[in-house]
Amino acid sequence: MKQVVGEKAFDQYFSEVYGERWPLIKEALLHKEVKVARKNLFYSESLENFKSSWGIEDELKNPQNCFSLNDDFDLGKFETQMLPFYRMDPASLFPAKALQAKPGELILDMCAAPGGKTLVVMEDLASAQGELDSSGTLVANELSTKRKFRMMSVFKRYLPSDVRRMVKIRGVDGSIIGVERKEVFDRILLDAPCSGERGVINKKSELEKWKPKRSKNFGIRQYALVSSAFMALKPGGRLVYSTCSISPYENDEVIEKLHKRREGEFEVIPTPFPEEGEPTKYGTQFLPDKKGWGPIYYSIIEKK
């Protein structure tokens, strides 16, 4: 029997996952992604001055330091050496903040490009809201050369030079880091490459050839990365696994597989932001039919 592919297979699979909610999620995925302006906390200007200087009024209560922008807002008009804010999906802030980096730690961002989550982690690592503490180090790893250079450009535009010196750039396959650097890192953020269904559904050529195997294959790659991250994590360390997928193959089932193979070696930690997102078996998920945020999934684990 010929396998069903394309939009029919896409709808069939996600209807089984989300039931009657699927048409609402699908419609939300077809709409433009919601983004906010996240204030760069390394930018030397008070919040009130920042709002008045840039004509920004609509501040979100959570996540903090985020502001709504009109679609036609032009970032190119800023001629400052350091940019005052970074545009990002508000849901993507939560996995970065859930890492809870602290000054003096050694942090790994395993798949760091384009760098938005890394900026958020650096705020905590460098204690940006108080005095600068440069005793910590963040290793920003990105396998793709093109994406790595884009990420480095982001760091140059958003981080002051003394904070950039805390960042070490690498360009290796994340799946080998656990073997190379076993039990080295205090905390690891793994924002794993994923299916990205928002991109799939908005690109006809991708949607026409979609089949569940695509998501299963990503799940295999993601497990290799999360397994490597777990090996690289110190006992007592924290790992945050994140994707922008809505597929269980790439989200809870990756953590389920780690649980089966590393039973008793870690525990899943509740999110510090229980009021935001929806709980899953092992983590938290943002689906775009609620606020237009996401999709984003994240799970927090700590190594025993």
Side-chain angles (χ1 to χ4, degrees):
M1 184 181 293
K2 188 176 180 181
Q3 185 182 24
V4 176
V5 298
E7 187 170 3
K8 185 176 180 180
F10 192 81
D11 283 334
Q12 181 177 309
Y13 172 66
F14 287 111
S15 290
E16 291 172 0
V17 174
Y18 294 105
E20 294 180 356
R21 188 178 174 185
W22 170 239
L24 297 175
I25 296 172
K26 183 180 181 181
E27 182 64 24
L29 289 171
L30 287 165
H31 289 160
K32 189 174 181 180
E33 182 180 10
V34 172
K35 290 200 174 184
V36 295
R38 162 78 178 182
K39 185 183 185 301
N40 180 4
L41 298 188
F42 295 106
Y43 188 77
S44 56
E45 190 171 20
S46 72
L47 194 60
E48 289 306 313
N49 286 344
F50 171 80
K51 289 194 285 187
S52 61
S53 296
W54 307 113
I56 297 172
E57 297 295 337
D58 189 9
E59 181 180 359
L60 278 64
K61 290 183 179 179
N62 198 17
Q64 293 180 329
N65 301 304
C66 289
F67 303 85
S68 297
L69 290 177
N70 295 327
D71 289 340
D72 59 355
F73 191 86
D74 182 15
L75 186 61
K77 72 179 182 180
F78 296 108
E79 297 179 357
T80 55
Q81 186 173 357
M82 184 183 296
L83 292 176
F85 61 81
Y86 185 85
R87 293 191 72 175
M88 62 193 308
D89 184 325
S92 65
L93 280 154
F94 292 100
K97 294 300 290 184
L99 194 66
Q100 296 185 331
K102 294 178 173 58
E105 292 182 327
L106 178 59
I107 310 290
L108 171 64
D109 192 343
M110 185 176 274
C111 303
K117 293 183 182 69
T118 318
L119 297 178
V120 177
V121 174
M122 286 303 300
E123 292 172 1
D124 292 332
L125 181 62
S127 191
Q129 293 175 319
E131 294 184 4
L132 174 67
D133 185 327
S134 59
S135 58
T137 299
L138 185 143
V139 177
N141 182 68
E142 177 54 50
L143 180 59
S144 164
T145 300
K146 183 178 179 180
R147 287 170 58 83
K148 181 173 70 175
F149 280 108
R150 179 186 170 193
M151 174 184 72
M152 291 166 67
S153 176
V154 166
F155 295 162
K156 187 174 182 179
R157 296 305 307 276
Y158 289 90
L159 299 176
S161 59
D162 49 358
V163 176
R164 286 203 306 274
R165 284 192 286 270
M166 299 170 63
V167 180
K168 308 299 180 187
I169 308 295
R170 291 200 73 192
V172 302
D173 186 336
S175 64
I176 68 170
I177 293 177
V179 176
E180 287 184 342
R181 309 191 71 182
K182 189 175 181 180
E183 297 189 344
V184 166
F185 296 97
D186 296 292
R187 298 175 197 265
I188 299 175
L189 176 62
L190 171 53
D191 184 27
C194 67
S195 289
E197 288 83 9
R198 183 186 286 277
V200 171
I201 203 171
N202 283 284
K203 191 173 182 180
K204 186 178 179 180
S205 60
E206 289 292 322
L207 186 58
E208 285 177 345
K209 60 186 179 184
W210 190 92
K211 49 189 174 182
K213 188 176 180 181
R214 170 192 170 100
S215 188
K216 290 180 180 179
N217 287 340
F218 268 105
I220 293 169
R221 171 64 175 158
Q222 290 154 348
Y223 177 74
L225 290 170
V226 81
S227 180
S228 174
F230 189 81
M231 287 190 287
L233 192 65
K234 287 180 179 178
R238 174 172 291 199
L239 165 63
V240 176
Y241 171 74
S242 176
T243 79
C244 60
S245 175
I246 61 172
S247 171
Y249 289 135
E250 303 179 48
N251 296 336
D252 270 354
E253 290 189 23
V254 173
I255 305 302
E256 176 78 44
K257 191 173 182 180
L258 186 69
H259 176 70
K260 288 179 179 178
R261 298 192 179 184
R262 297 279 188 172
E263 187 175 357
E265 295 183 37
F266 70 89
E267 60 179 321
V268 176
I269 304 299
T271 175
F273 314 105
E275 70 283 0
E276 298 291 348
E278 303 173 46
T280 67
K281 184 176 181 180
Y282 293 110
T284 302
Q285 188 170 33
F286 289 84
L287 293 169
D289 61 322
K290 291 292 187 180
K291 296 182 181 180
W293 299 4
I296 289 288
Y297 166 89
Y298 69 99
S299 177
I300 310 165
I301 68 173
E302 288 191 352
K303 194 172 188 177
K304 292 184 179 179

